[in-house]
Amino acid sequence: MGRGRGGKSRTQRKHFQQNRENVWKPPRPESLPSPTNLFDIQNADFDHYYKDQNIVSPEEWDSFMQLLRTPLPAAFRINSSSLFHADIRSQLENDFAPDLQSMVDEGDEEDAIKPLPWYPDNFAWHSNFSRMQLRKNQALKRFHEFLKLENEIGNITRQEAVSMVPPLFLDVQSNHIVLDMCAAPGSKTFQLLEILHRSTKAGSLPGGMVIANDLDVQRCNLLIHQIKRMCTANLIVTNHEAQHFPTCYLKTDCDIMGPDQRTSQLLFDRVLCDVPCSGDGTLRKAPDLWRRWNTGTGNGLHNLQISVAMRGLSILKVGGKMVYSTCSMNPIENEAVVAELLRRCEGSVELVDVSSELPQLIRRPGLKRWKVCDKGESLVSCKEVPKVRRSVVLPSMFPNGGSYRDIDCNGNCDVNGHSEDGVETVENPVMHEFAEEVSEFPLERCMRLLPHDQNSGAFFIAVLQKQSPLPAIVVKTRKEVDNQQVESVNRGNEDVQALQINPSEIIHEEVCEQDSEDNKNEPNTADSKLSPVIDEESDSKEAQEPRNVDNIANVTPSKRKLQIQGKWRGVDPVVFFKDEAIIKSIRAFYGIDEQFPLDGHLVTRNSDTSNVKRLYYISKSVKNVLELNFSVGQQLKITCVGLKIFERQKSREGRSVECAFRITSEGLPLILPHITKQILSASPIDFKHLLQYKNIKFADFVDAKFGEKAANLMPGCCVVVLGEGNKTAEAFQVNESSIAIVCWKGGASLTVMVTSIECQELLERLLMRPNKVTEKGSSKQEEKPSNNAEDVKQESNGNNQDVEAA
């Protein structure tokens, strides 16, 4: 039975409904024995804990739990900086939305796909199909293939809807220096870069940048793979513990960060602090979490979350904003952490009220009261915690915080925690009933996103603004700490604590408390260890003494090797590329105008600059950070930096090429407006043939003049721009909407140097504009050109991602 694009056969509709109902069904308890039940989507401890916390009203509980046990609908975001963002949005609105809606039951009020009402400009979309349904249901195949292709190209990012929210509340501007502290897998970093590039014109770069950090090397690789689709020169990826993110502090005055930021320390305008958490807000996406859920996970992460957030606040500029977020519903990981941050910062940080922003986003206020669960017992105050559990249950977990020292001494302690009358009066907490605490901080300004409000996952968000420098911390020298430790041991006192802090941070007034054991509200006094550790990075002379970047090459070979390789084993060094002969040859060969700076903006990951295979372009802001990093002894462990813009290549047949470096596909959009040589405008039909056949002889082009001009180019890399109609003008303007590809000009043909998937994407986009690719008056326009390619050899590690060898 035939059908139009907007209609479906009765058989197909029935098949679709069966798939939609049966793709993902929770197993019945009686169907399988408990040990083999894959997704046991119930947990009595979970129910008891969250009912006790009152995260939803008793009337809502059933609907909340019912939705929490259903699979999460797929969501995705259109890359607003993509060349085809308007086309993709139009395709969703005018093609897929009505097409998929015809498959939905007539009585179903939900749209098959729809834009998220709170996300600006209809760039984020919600689907009522789960990921598994998209994979398994044949009726959704076309839509699924569309999502896969556009995601791989980088035109869209598949991301949970609530995960898109935190970057929107950061209020990122194009000139901001932004830190994403726990960035992997990278969807929020991608979103931050989109916002950064939002108002940037073709061929230019924003003044700001993003540093994306993650602790795990493998997750960093995942992050890099995700971000490469963005094609940005304004990014550095680092590999550090977030709670110990380097200070990059320089003792001497310098203006490395530029005249607008005369500072000797790397500080940030915006910080995204999306901390590691128990993740029970993702139960719909990962139903196996039901079986593993317990209160101990959230309690165990509480201290780390405070440390990471405090570190973020310490390297945030005064006036800057930090968003603290988790994908957890647990108040111990959420409100309790925010309350402790406000408590430690003593008024220097404000919890911002953002209730008027994104009005269509349904959110609930943060909690002001909650309970701490330990071994099945619900506790309302730190006064209830037995001494044997104080190393696990911390005062900062409770709404009003507190101190175990004050509890033990009944408020009559000296500075070392000893009772003034020599007798400690410890009362048995079990003998008392304590009133439930209510936090004194305006925690209702926090946001809780719950699944049944907008058919999503769960998320917690708090926006913090730094009003003044953080309060100073009394820092003791190593000698003082050692002496105090000896005295403490002699008198049997275990409560004396030593502050472990980076020496370079002592000079400035904002000091990060690197560990929650290092602060005045230390709860875990019973288990304190008096073993001050000085960070090897900051204790070395190399980390403290500034060096002139330009003088690196003028030191002894052994010293030069140490400086280039840095202290990070297994990570390729970042080296400024300063071979003037190669830089001049690149500029001359492509006719790159002087408005596009190359000197000081090219880096490589190879310390042997004579054998460089790839050159990466960096923005001015990234350049400033790299120079500062060199000056402080390479404290940043950089795993990825910049945009790959040039790659070494030569003809397989050994023909001489004037310029050994070709332009990469990812670097082309940036440099395209600045190229004046080796560039041609092709008619739509010839452009289409290049994408289809990958290699075309000069004589086989539909437009003979274009073939002649291509033959007259210098051998090597060239750029072909999609023109209008059958015109190949002598001079043409390149703008934000220009479509171009990198090619290789051989002796008799042009070869496309673009991946197959990019060719497929461009062809599909051109076919959606038939008036621009179908031309009359040429009898050979649909004739397949000869395909005798002259192979080109990629001088790389063997990964020919940008080359289609014919």
Side-chain angles (χ1 to χ4, degrees):
M1 181 179 295
R3 62 171 177 84
R5 169 164 288 189
K8 297 289 175 286
S9 69
R10 186 173 302 173
T11 303
Q12 190 175 14
R13 286 171 59 96
K14 182 178 179 182
H15 175 72
F16 169 79
Q17 294 299 339
Q18 289 174 343
N19 274 279
R20 189 175 183 189
E21 292 172 3
N22 298 321
V23 163
W24 194 93
K25 276 192 175 181
R28 292 175 296 177
E30 67 272 16
S31 62
L32 291 171
S34 178
T36 59
N37 211 343
L38 183 59
F39 295 140
D40 187 7
I41 54 173
Q42 56 184 356
N43 187 309
D45 292 336
F46 177 93
D47 294 0
H48 176 75
Y49 181 74
Y50 281 118
K51 279 183 178 179
D52 215 23
Q53 301 293 3
N54 292 317
I55 63 169
V56 297
S57 65
E59 296 77 18
E60 294 178 274
W61 180 260
D62 289 341
S63 59
F64 165 69
M65 290 300 296
Q66 183 179 356
L67 195 67
L68 202 57
R69 292 189 174 108
T70 61
L72 182 71
F76 57 92
R77 194 185 68 253
I78 302 172
N79 180 1
S80 58
S81 62
S82 165
L83 180 63
F84 300 111
H85 68 268
D87 291 344
I88 293 171
R89 181 173 56 190
S90 175
Q91 189 175 1
L92 288 167
E93 293 171 342
N94 303 318
D95 179 6
F96 284 112
D99 187 38
L100 295 173
Q101 192 63 32
S102 65
M103 300 179 183
V104 178
D105 286 335
E106 294 180 1
D108 194 344
E109 297 180 358
E110 291 289 336
D111 295 325
I113 62 169
K114 62 180 179 181
L116 291 169
W118 46 265
Y119 202 94
D121 301 320
N122 283 2
F123 280 139
W125 285 69
H126 167 94
S127 154
N128 274 316
F129 311 113
S130 70
R131 284 186 174 233
M132 189 174 293
Q133 286 174 322
L134 289 172
R135 289 195 300 267
K136 300 287 187 180
N137 196 318
Q138 290 301 309
L140 300 173
K141 184 176 181 180
R142 188 173 76 93
F143 183 53
H144 187 221
E145 292 299 321
F146 163 81
L147 292 179
K148 287 197 300 181
L149 174 63
E150 301 301 340
N151 182 73
E152 187 167 350
I153 293 291
N155 290 333
I156 69 168
T157 297
R158 300 175 73 174
Q159 181 182 0
E160 190 173 348
V162 289
S163 175
M164 305 176 193
V165 178
L168 298 180
F169 284 103
L170 265 181
D171 187 29
V172 173
Q173 304 298 318
S174 61
N175 63 330
H176 281 167
I177 310 297
V178 184
L179 172 64
D180 190 349
M181 299 190 75
C182 309
S187 55
K188 295 184 188 67
T189 306
F190 200 109
Q191 194 175 352
L192 291 170
L193 288 166
E194 285 181 40
I195 298 172
L196 204 68
H197 284 266
R198 186 166 46 197
S199 58
T200 306
K201 295 182 179 180
S204 61
L205 292 171
M209 63 167 292
V210 174
I211 294 182
N213 176 73
D214 203 86
L215 165 65
D216 188 85
V217 174
Q218 296 300 322
R219 286 173 61 83
C220 274
N221 292 335
L222 179 63
L223 167 67
I224 293 168
H225 177 75
Q226 174 94 300
I227 299 303
K228 274 185 177 179
R229 303 175 305 126
M230 180 65 194
C231 301
T232 178
N234 297 67
L235 173 71
I236 295 177
V237 178
T238 60
N239 177 213
H240 292 282
E241 291 181 329
Q243 68 271 31
H244 299 142
F245 190 84
T247 306
C248 290
Y249 177 77
L250 202 59
K251 283 187 175 180
T252 57
D253 294 334
C254 70
D255 58 355
I256 274 181
M257 295 301 292
D260 298 332
Q261 301 181 35
R262 300 184 66 87
T263 179
S264 54
Q265 183 182 2
L266 178 59
L267 298 176
F268 297 90
D269 300 284
R270 298 289 186 268
V271 173
L272 178 58
C273 186
D274 188 51
V275 295
C277 66
S278 61
D280 57 19
T282 66
L283 282 166
R284 299 183 68 187
K285 183 172 63 176
D288 58 309
L289 289 175
W290 282 102
R291 294 179 299 137
R292 297 185 280 113
W293 187 94
N294 62 80
T295 58
T297 306
N299 291 352
L301 288 167
H302 172 81
N303 220 14
L304 173 65
Q305 291 161 341
I306 293 173
S307 298
V308 172
M310 282 300 298
R311 185 56 178 157
L313 289 172
S314 75
I315 51 182
L316 181 67
K317 293 179 183 178
V318 173
K321 289 182 180 179
M322 183 180 88
V323 166
Y324 174 85
S325 63
T326 74
C327 54
S328 168
M329 295 179 282
N330 195 339
I332 309 303
E333 304 176 74
N334 297 332
E335 287 89 351
V337 172
V338 174
E340 182 64 13
L341 297 179
L342 297 174
R343 195 174 294 119
R344 294 186 185 187
C345 293
E346 300 177 357
S348 60
V349 171
E350 177 191 4
L351 181 58
V352 182
D353 182 3
V354 291
S355 58
S356 62
E357 299 181 26
L358 301 182
Q360 291 183 290
L361 175 68
I362 301 175
R363 84 287 302 270
R364 302 189 180 214
L367 305 177
K368 296 202 65 162
R369 62 177 71 199
W370 60 87
K371 299 175 183 178
V372 179
C373 184
D374 178 51
K375 289 191 173 297
E377 295 291 331
S378 292
L379 309 172
V380 298
S381 170
C382 64
K383 297 175 183 178
E384 288 187 278
V385 182
K387 275 194 171 183
V388 294
R389 300 299 298 166
R390 290 180 181 178
S391 62
V392 178
V393 182
L394 311 179
S396 57
M397 295 178 179
F398 295 90
N400 288 334
S403 167
Y404 289 139
R405 185 192 69 181
D406 293 342
I407 295 171
D408 291 343
C409 299
N410 202 22
N412 297 315
C413 289
D414 59 22
V415 293
N416 292 321
H418 298 287
S419 176
E420 294 179 353
D421 56 9
V423 180
E424 293 188 0
T425 57
V426 182
E427 300 183 14
N428 186 0
V430 180
M431 303 297 294
H432 295 269
E433 290 188 6
F434 298 93
E436 188 174 359
E437 295 181 350
V438 179
S439 177
E440 60 185 0
F441 297 110
L443 298 179
E444 67 278 2
R445 296 179 181 177
C446 302
M447 287 174 282
R448 283 181 160 266
L449 309 180
L450 296 180
H452 61 304
D453 285 336
Q454 288 186 313
N455 193 14
S456 65
F459 228 78
F460 174 87
I461 302 163
V463 181
L464 299 158
Q465 186 163 30
K466 193 171 184 177
Q467 303 294 335
S468 61
L470 301 187
I473 300 174
V474 177
V475 179
K476 299 177 181 179
T477 65
R478 180 182 288 275
K479 184 176 180 180
E480 289 174 332
V481 170
D482 290 341
N483 291 339
Q484 192 172 22
Q485 180 176 357
V486 172
E487 294 173 6
S488 172
V489 171
N490 289 339
R491 63 174 180 256
N493 177 20
E494 297 182 352
D495 292 340
V496 181
Q497 301 168 39
L499 184 62
Q500 304 169 17
I501 203 163
N502 189 319
S504 63
E505 296 180 55
I506 298 173
I507 300 174
H508 60 91
E509 53 193 351
E510 300 178 29
V511 180
C512 171
E513 301 170 12
Q514 292 188 5
D515 196 294
S516 62
E517 296 180 358
D518 298 336
N519 62 79
K520 62 183 181 181
N521 290 325
E522 162 64 328
N524 187 12
T525 56
D527 291 347
S528 295
K529 302 295 182 182
L530 294 173
S531 54
V533 178
I534 302 299
D535 189 349
E536 292 180 1
E537 297 174 25
S538 56
D539 202 31
S540 66
K541 292 182 179 179
E542 193 175 45
Q544 297 181 33
E545 296 177 357
R547 293 198 302 272
N548 189 331
V549 178
D550 294 329
N551 294 332
I552 289 181
N554 299 326
V555 295
T556 61
S558 60
K559 183 69 173 176
R560 180 178 182 273
K561 184 177 180 181
L562 174 65
Q563 289 175 330
I564 289 179
Q565 291 184 346
K567 58 178 67 66
W568 309 117
R569 292 183 180 180
V571 177
D572 293 332
V574 178
V575 182
F576 280 96
F577 186 75
K578 299 182 179 180
D579 190 320
E580 293 185 4
I582 292 180
I583 294 176
K584 287 182 179 178
S585 71
I586 291 174
R587 187 178 289 278
F589 185 75
Y590 298 108
I592 302 172
D593 60 49
E594 294 299 329
Q595 295 180 356
F596 190 79
L598 292 178
D599 295 333
H601 288 266
L602 295 176
V603 298
T604 178
R605 304 306 300 265
N606 190 346
S607 56
D608 182 7
T609 55
S610 63
N611 191 32
V612 169
K613 295 181 180 179
R614 299 171 194 85
L615 295 176
Y616 299 85
Y617 194 84
I618 57 174
S619 66
K620 183 179 179 181
S621 53
V622 172
K623 174 177 177 286
N624 292 337
V625 171
L626 290 182
E627 289 177 343
L628 175 62
N629 190 44
F630 274 114
S631 300
V632 297
Q634 300 187 60
Q635 292 183 16
L636 290 176
K637 183 180 180 182
I638 298 174
T639 61
C640 181
V641 62
L643 170 67
K644 186 172 70 172
I645 191 169
F646 299 116
E647 193 156 17
R648 188 183 294 272
Q649 186 163 342
K650 64 182 179 182
S651 171
R652 178 173 292 181
E653 296 183 357
R655 289 191 180 91
S656 60
V657 180
E658 186 174 322
C659 179
F661 285 85
R662 70 175 181 88
I663 300 171
T664 64
S665 294
E666 53 263 56
L668 179 59
L670 176 62
I671 200 172
L672 180 61
H674 304 280
I675 299 174
T676 60
K677 298 179 181 179
Q678 295 293 108
I679 184 169
L680 294 174
S681 175
S683 65
I685 192 65
D686 282 327
F687 196 87
K688 174 187 171 184
H689 282 169
L690 277 171
L691 294 174
Q692 284 179 319
Y693 307 120
K694 310 298 191 297
N695 176 271
I696 300 178
K697 289 186 175 182
F698 303 135
D700 290 336
F701 283 106
V702 173
D703 188 333
K705 290 183 178 180
F706 175 80
E708 292 175 7
K709 290 181 179 180
N712 291 331
L713 291 174
M714 296 290 292
C717 180
C718 62
V719 175
V720 177
V721 182
L722 174 63
E724 294 184 3
N726 57 2
K727 299 177 181 178
T728 53
E730 295 294 330
F732 52 90
Q733 294 292 326
V734 174
N735 53 43
E736 291 85 350
S737 60
S738 297
I739 299 174
I741 55 175
V742 179
C743 295
W744 185 267
K745 188 264 180 180
S749 65
L750 278 185
T751 302
V752 174
M753 306 187 74
V754 180
T755 62
S756 295
I757 195 167
E758 288 176 307
C759 286
Q760 178 186 347
E761 161 71 2
L762 285 172
L763 277 171
E764 290 188 6
R765 292 293 155 206
L766 295 179
L767 290 173
M768 291 176 66
R769 309 170 183 179
N771 57 316
K772 293 188 177 182
V773 296
T774 303
E775 299 181 28
K776 299 179 180 180
S778 174
S779 59
K780 56 190 244 180
Q781 65 181 28
E782 295 302 330
E783 179 182 338
K784 182 176 179 179
S786 300
N787 194 19
N788 298 322
E790 298 167 275
D791 291 342
V792 289
K793 184 177 181 181
Q794 177 74 9
E795 293 290 344
S796 66
N797 60 356
N799 185 9
N800 297 339
Q801 291 186 349
D802 301 296
V803 180
E804 281 294 320

